[in-house]
Amino acid sequence: MRVELNVSGMRCGKCVDKIEKFVGEIEGISLVDVNLQDSKVIVEFESPATQELITEAILDAGFEVK
């Protein structure tokens, strides 16, 4: 599966690294592509990962999913 999320609060490369780390720790994630300029995060995943787990990880990293 593939999901594209609008994420606010990302301002720099450290923000990108943090989102990649938090989302990348979820089992089943195959790709985390953070576009700082467009405020988007594209994630490719399969079970057991879910969109809810991905959103929760981004929130835990300190960012807001719109």
Side-chain angles (χ1 to χ4, degrees):
M1 296 185 72
R2 177 183 169 106
V3 67
E4 182 175 310
L5 302 168
N6 292 313
V7 179
S8 63
M10 300 185 300
R11 292 181 176 80
C12 64
K14 287 186 179 185
C15 296
V16 172
D17 293 344
K18 193 171 186 182
I19 289 174
E20 288 175 345
K21 177 184 182 296
F22 275 68
V23 175
E25 290 177 347
I26 301 169
E27 186 178 346
I29 299 293
S30 57
L31 170 76
V32 181
D33 181 21
V34 181
N35 186 320
L36 193 59
Q37 188 172 5
D38 293 338
S39 299
K40 293 191 184 292
V41 177
I42 297 170
V43 183
E44 292 182 4
F45 63 98
E46 54 190 52
S47 184
T50 63
Q51 184 171 341
E52 291 77 20
L53 286 174
I54 294 164
T55 299
E56 187 177 310
I58 293 171
L59 293 173
D60 288 348
F63 303 94
E64 185 177 329
V65 178
K66 298 179 188 174

